[in-house]
């Protein structure tokens, strides 16, 4: 108080900044700031280890090419492409639950059905009704490939006991070929490499103990803050999928499993999904953990994931709500405890990450305020160690962003090598200032979304509201006005006219999507 009395020119804002800056130098505040430094450095270390795994695969690919194998993106041993080996490859059924049609779907579907896997394949596109725009889009696409691929559209109807996606998946499994050895579940926003199915199948053949093989997307932000928030949300999770082998994580966008596991309902995979299942990957991951079954993620299983060009912040928020809501669904008591632990740790670390930036902002704002008013730090007894901590946080942030940039760079390079026929991607369009802002926004909003999910116990997913009770879906509501018109990430149209043929607007949309597929995007150059 004596210091403030000696400085009558201090106004209310000066006093507030001075007091807030000194409060941010308390022992508790210093502990929070040091914790923030540790979070930044641990993230940087995790991304560095993931970079090592992915870069090791890049070196392996380049070495194979230098040795004369120009088809290394398909297999490291060119002898595997001999006809005698290809005819012995097992049959794989690809099940793709669809909902709506957006700007990137056509390219994604083409990448899936034009796989260079040498064994027998069948593609099952599953929709809930012919009213879905995806039905007409796939029908047109398959007409172009009717003599080249074994593909069909299956109308699954509406779900009554589980999420619509799980319902579509189970209907697809029921319709798959009786001789299929493996089933591969793919989301419609997955862009496969020519050798992806072959790589996954090879790993399954090498190790029959594998329960599920999975992969992970590499987000390609469209430029909006919402798209960068999604990119930032996925990047920490990418560490768990860049192990080059065993992992505890599972992404529902790409899951290869033994077909007999579903035919025989082994470990209750069918019943657990069908009877109240909300999230396919969380349910299957819980089953794998309960029965000590192996989940793996090969280093080549990273897939380009272009985000919608008009992805708004509201769509990002709805996507985050769905991501936090999955922690409310569970199958067993152990699974519930694990989800509560993830819920608590993630919320604590998210706000623990944001708090140091708030404190550093106060230190810097106070220092600049007094500097421009002509005071020296000594004259006002300013807690200058606050600026020291702010500088430490800035250094940690630079290290963290560099590690994130390096992993993204390596994954982009790996994707380019695995898809040599596609326009090359680059990091030129990534705005790293927006990445930093997205880190703060996403980590601040995650606990808010998680708490809302916990207390609401309901979620709107593509126009369908699901209610949970004891970790299971207990009620499904479909509003008469059909809810939102678009999905969250792809900007897909969800609704159309039942049984209606292509109208002019849809043809225009389809032709534009095809033109965008043929031409490099801004992230492809």
């Amino acid at each position: 108080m004596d210091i403030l009395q000696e400085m009558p020119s201090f106004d209310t804002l000066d006093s507030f900044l001075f007091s807030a800056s000194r409060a941010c130098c308390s022992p508790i505040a210093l502990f929070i700031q040091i914790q923030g430094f540790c979070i930044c450095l641990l993230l940087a270390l995790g991304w560095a280890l993931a970079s090592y795994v992915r870069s090791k695969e890049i070196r392996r690919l380049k070495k194979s090419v230098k040795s004369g194998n120009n088809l290394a993106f398909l297999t490291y041993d060119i002898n595997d492409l001999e006809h005698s080996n290809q005819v012995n490859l097992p049959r794989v059924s690809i099940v793709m639950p669809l909902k709506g049609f957006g700007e990137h779907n056509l390219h994604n579907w083409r990448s899936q059905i034009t796989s260079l896997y040498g064994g027998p394949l069948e593609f099952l596109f599953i929709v809930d009704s012919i009213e879905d725009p995806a039905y007409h889009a796939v029908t047109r696409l398959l007409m172009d490939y009717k003599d080249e691929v074994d593909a069909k559209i299956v109308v699954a109807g509406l779900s009554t006991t589980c999420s619509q996606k799980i319902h579509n998946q189970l209907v697809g499994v029921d319709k798959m070929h009786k001789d299929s050895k493996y089933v591969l579940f793919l989301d419609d926003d997955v862009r496969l490499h020519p050798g992806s199915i072959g790589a996954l199948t090879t790993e399954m053949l090498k190790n029959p103990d594998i329960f599920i093989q999975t992969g992970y997307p590499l987000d390609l932000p469209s430029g909006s803050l919402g798209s960068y928030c999604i990119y930032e949300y996925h990047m920490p999770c990418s560490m768990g999928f860049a192990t080059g082998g065993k992992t505890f994580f599972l992404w529902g966008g790409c899951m290869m499993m033994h077909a007999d596991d579903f035919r025989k309902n082994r470990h209750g995979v069918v019943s657990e999904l069908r009877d109240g299942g909300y999230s396919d990957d969380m349910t299957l991951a819980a089953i794998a953990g309960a029965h000590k079954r192996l989940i793996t993620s090969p280093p080549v299983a990273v897939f380009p994931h272009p985000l919608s060009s008009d992805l708004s912040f509201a769509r990002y928020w709805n996507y985050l709500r769905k991501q936090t809501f999955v922690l409310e669904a569970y199958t067993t008591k152990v699974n519930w405890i694990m989800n509560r632990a993830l819920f608590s740790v993630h919320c604590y670390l998210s706000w623990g990450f944001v708090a140091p930036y708030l404190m550093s902002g106060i230190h810097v704002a106070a220092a600049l305020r007094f500097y421009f008013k002509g005071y020296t730090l000594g004259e006002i007894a300013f807690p200058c160690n606050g600026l020291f901590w702010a500088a430490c946080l800035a250094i940690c942030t630079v290290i963290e962003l560099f590690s994130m940039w390096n992993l993204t760079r390596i994954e982009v390079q790996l994707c380019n090598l695995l898809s040599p026929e596609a326009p090359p991607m680059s990091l030129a369009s990534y705005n790293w200032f927006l990445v930093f802002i997205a880190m703060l926004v996403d980590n601040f909003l995650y606990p808010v979304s998680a708490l809302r999910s916990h207390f609401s116990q309901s979620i709107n997913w593509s126009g369908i509201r699901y209610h949970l009770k004891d970790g299971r879906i207990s009620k499904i509501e479909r509003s008469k006005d059909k809810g939102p018109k678009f999905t969250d990430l792809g900007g897909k149209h969800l609704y159309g006219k039942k049984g209606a043929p292509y109208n002019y607007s849809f043809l225009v949309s389809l032709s534009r999507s095809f033109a965008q597929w043929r031409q490099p995007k801004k992230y492809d150059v």
Side-chain angles (χ1 to χ4, degrees), residues 173 176 180-183 257-264:
V173 165
M176 69 182 174
S180 290
K181 184 176 179 63
Y182 303 115
V183 56
M257 301 180 64
H258 296 270
D260 280 345
D261 286 347
F262 287 90
R263 295 189 182 105
K264 300 176 181 179

Side-chain angles (χ1 to χ4, degrees), residues 332-351:
T332 63
K333 185 67 174 179
V334 173
N335 188 211
W336 177 83
I337 294 173
M338 292 293 294
N339 285 0
R340 291 303 93 202
L342 285 171
F343 174 94
S344 303
V345 171
H346 201 156
C347 289
Y348 177 81
L349 293 179
S350 290
W351 275 352

Side-chain angles (χ1 to χ4, degrees), residues 335-453:
N335 188 211
W336 177 83
I337 294 173
M338 292 293 294
N339 285 0
R340 291 303 93 202
L342 285 171
F343 174 94
S344 303
V345 171
H346 201 156
C347 289
Y348 177 81
L349 293 179
S350 290
W351 275 352
F353 176 84
V354 173
Y357 289 98
L358 177 62
M359 297 178 186
S360 295
I362 292 174
H363 289 311
V364 173
L368 291 175
R369 173 81 174 179
F370 295 130
Y371 173 79
F372 285 115
K373 294 192 73 170
Y375 295 112
T376 65
L377 299 182
E379 288 177 332
I380 59 174
F382 185 78
C384 56
N385 60 329
L387 294 180
F388 169 77
W389 293 116
C392 291
L393 181 61
I395 294 172
C396 292
T397 302
V398 170
I399 295 172
E400 178 190 18
L401 286 173
F402 174 80
S403 186
M404 182 191 290
W405 167 85
N406 187 52
L407 175 58
T408 306
R409 176 186 65 84
I410 289 172
E411 290 187 337
V412 163
Q413 186 179 1
L414 179 58
C415 287
N416 287 336
L417 291 173
L418 293 172
S419 293
E421 85 295 345
M425 300 183 299
S426 77
L427 295 181
S429 65
Y430 282 73
N431 185 325
W432 294 98
F433 175 73
L434 277 181
V435 171
F436 171 69
I437 298 300
M439 289 167 60
L440 298 179
V441 171
D442 183 65
N443 281 285
F444 175 77
L445 290 178
Y446 183 91
V448 177
S449 176
L451 289 171
R452 181 176 176 182
S453 296

Side-chain angles (χ1 to χ4, degrees), residues 98-110 113 125 127 129-145 151-153 188 492-493 495-497 499-503 505-507 509-511 513-514:
L98 307 180
K99 184 68 176 178
F101 178 73
E103 61 181 297
H104 300 296
N105 285 135
L106 195 62
H107 190 179
N108 297 339
W109 296 337
R110 286 183 185 273
I113 65 175
F125 294 87
V127 295
S129 73
I130 61 174
E131 185 179 348
D132 194 315
Y135 177 86
H136 305 291
V138 174
T139 300
R140 185 178 180 89
L141 175 66
L142 296 187
M143 287 176 62
D144 298 334
Y145 292 89
K152 60 183 177 181
I153 308 173
D188 59 3
K492 298 182 295 183
H493 290 267
Y495 307 107
K497 294 181 179 180
Y502 286 105
N503 56 28
S505 61
F506 186 77
L507 279 176
S509 174
L510 193 61
S511 63
S513 298
F514 181 75

